[in-house]
Amino acid sequence: MSDLVARVRSGEIRAAGRLISLIDRGDPTAEIILPLIYPHTGQAFRMGITGPPGAGKSTLICALAREYLEVGRTVGIVAVDITSPFTGGALLGDRIRMQDLTRDDRVFIRSIGNKGRPGGLSRSVQDSMRVLEAMGKDVVIVETAGVGQTDVDVVDTVDVVVLVTVPEAGDEVQALKAGILEAADIIVLNKVDRPESDGLGSELQELVAGCTNEAGWEVPVIRTVAKTGKGVEELFNSLDAFENWLNEDDRLPARRKLQVEKELKKLVRQGMIDALDHTLAKTDVQDSANRVVAGEVDLYRAVNDLVKGLAVSRKGDATPLPL
Amino acid sequence: LPERKIRVMVAKVGLDGHDRGAKVVARALRDAGMEVIYTGLHQTAEEVVTAAIQEDVDVLGVSSLSGAHMTIFPKIFNKLREHGADDVLVVGGGIVPPDDREALRELGMAEFWGPGTHTGDIISFLQEAVE
């Protein structure tokens, strides 16, 4: 077991690949190994790249990775793609756009499907990123699938969030406003060689004009053509500026602390719900339901009684839930 | 434990641009509930093996229609062994004459399918072999 950790630490791709599989399929062994991995994490720059399907996220990541390699920093990538809700199968194709990177042993790429992760996608992604950190990757990037709430959950766990969008995604920008757009630290308008790009560019600029994240960073809009490399250097510089900014005034630890707090609350809440479901005896609920249906008590009274019952059953060490 | 998904890499190696078959198989495997990673065209044996190990796949399927199979497959087996990953199930598809198939089987190729194969046969073979 600790052997696998040592092999990951020495950068062995076979060991890292295997460990990520254990995490991904919720194997109990992973829970034993992860605590041994944690102490070797925290030093990497964690990046989340999100945006609608087809926006060019994979191509952009490939170009960015080359920039990082150029300055001597190694790169780990977790690419999330869409799992079919019907068959549970997935065609994970992000690697196709990153072919060049497979040639370079300073890069590690792993593809995962967005559904069917036993501990949840966000957790699976985070732990996989940690494996890449423990392997010694300096920059660890997650590419989201570009759909749904899980994207928001994933980007909630990284040091920098890059939103990639495209000129034809005008309407989607509207949809993005309330969600992921707010989480973005840097916005990329990709495929600006398309005619519609000017309009959306200014629309986006307007949308985020003077927009700062909670710590005071002004969100830039960067125009790129990932395929030709246009604007990639500017994006790289912007990421660099953001990283430097994060490293000032303890902003990075503050951001990570906030994220962990949020995550902890979420997990504790889930744990409490599971525990409650476990404690709440079926018979009690059925009795109460019968009494409500028979008109003996009203719903709220029944809830109150059940909650009190729960508090008592825990030997008085818990205060009743406030109602 | 939840059901374990079979992970398969479908790859094309070398100067072989014919990927219709590889894509049809990739889709069929996906529809059978597997996680399929497609590498795209023009990969080297080394790249395919590196990718297969990073992705920790159960199965590596290589499509060859160019006649270069007696170069490609031995290279793949060597690279897998170098990485201590010779437990990955290697299968092939495309055009390979019977004599060569026999030779490749001896090197460790688990199965090979030619034109006209039913995707259902590939699926059941893989499901059984990975069990």
Side-chain angles (χ1 to χ4, degrees), chain B residues 2 5 17 30 34 51-52 79 92 95 104 118-119:
Chain B
K5 278 183 194 163
R30 177 199 67 184
M34 302 183 194
K79 289 289 170 200
I95 309 288
L104 291 175
H118 288 279
T119 51

Side-chain angles (χ1 to χ4, degrees), chain A residues 142-156:
Chain A
V142 54
E143 171 181 351
T144 72
V147 283
Q149 174 63 31
T150 47
D151 276 32
V152 183
D153 292 344
V154 168
V155 299
D156 236 354

Side-chain angles (χ1 to χ4, degrees), chain A residues 15-36:
Chain A
R18 201 29 70 85
L19 181 50
I20 294 177
S21 293
L22 293 176
I23 291 167
D24 200 33
R25 68 173 83 109
D27 193 297
T29 346
E31 270 177 48
I32 303 167
I33 301 176
L34 276 168
L36 306 172

Side-chain angles (χ1 to χ4, degrees), chain A residues 115-137:
Chain A
K115 294 223 170 63
R117 325 289 24 129
L121 175 69
S122 161
R123 188 160 166 207
S124 206
V125 165
Q126 274 184 77
D127 289 339
S128 302
M129 288 173 90
R130 281 182 195 278
V131 173
L132 300 185
E133 277 189 56
M135 229 189 144
K137 298 303 178 205

Side-chain angles (χ1 to χ4, degrees), chain A residues 33-237:
Chain A
I33 301 176
L34 276 168
L36 306 172
I37 287 286
Y38 273 55
H40 306 292
T41 64
Q43 77 293 341
F45 184 40
R46 302 173 187 159
M47 189 186 305
I49 310 262
T50 187
K57 299 184 290 295
S58 305
T59 311
L60 207 57
I61 288 172
C62 185
L64 267 181
R66 273 198 231 108
E67 297 281 334
Y68 279 108
L69 292 172
E70 189 82 10
V71 296
R73 296 175 81 183
T74 57
V75 180
I77 299 166
V78 177
V80 182
D81 216 335
I82 296 163
T83 303
S84 158
F86 301 108
T87 65
L91 197 51
L92 309 171
D94 292 322
R95 283 194 91 98
I96 301 176
R97 319 263 174 237
M98 305 179 192
Q99 278 191 348
D100 296 7
L101 298 178
T102 309
R103 224 159 285 154
D104 199 311
D105 59 10
R106 294 170 296 171
V107 181
F108 187 107
I109 308 171
R110 178 60 176 248
S111 320
I112 73 174
N114 71 340
K115 294 223 170 63
R117 325 289 24 129
L121 175 69
S122 161
R123 188 160 166 207
S124 206
V125 165
Q126 274 184 77
D127 289 339
S128 302
M129 288 173 90
R130 281 182 195 278
V131 173
L132 300 185
E133 277 189 56
M135 229 189 144
K137 298 303 178 205
D138 301 317
V139 181
V140 179
I141 305 174
V142 54
E143 171 181 351
T144 72
V147 283
Q149 174 63 31
T150 47
D151 276 32
V152 183
D153 292 344
V154 168
V155 299
D156 236 354
T157 65
V158 293
D159 300 331
V160 59
V161 178
V162 180
L163 169 71
V164 183
T165 187
V166 283
E168 60 266 36
D171 288 341
E172 281 171 68
V173 171
Q174 300 297 323
L176 286 167
K177 266 193 235 173
I180 215 104
L181 194 58
E182 288 166 329
D185 300 300
I186 293 172
I187 296 173
V188 175
L189 184 62
N190 192 30
K191 306 188 187 181
V192 290
D193 47 345
R194 307 234 169 135
E196 317 87 308
S197 67
D198 286 348
L200 181 68
S202 40
E203 197 180 307
L204 266 176
Q205 208 99 48
E206 224 165 78
L207 209 58
V208 298
C211 258
T212 53
N213 67 11
E214 66 267 34
W217 163 265
E218 201 166 317
V219 181
V221 177
I222 294 167
R223 304 161 68 86
T224 60
V225 184
K227 231 175 168 175
T228 65
K230 191 185 159 204
V232 170
E233 202 185 332
E234 202 190 338
L235 172 60
F236 174 72
N237 290 337

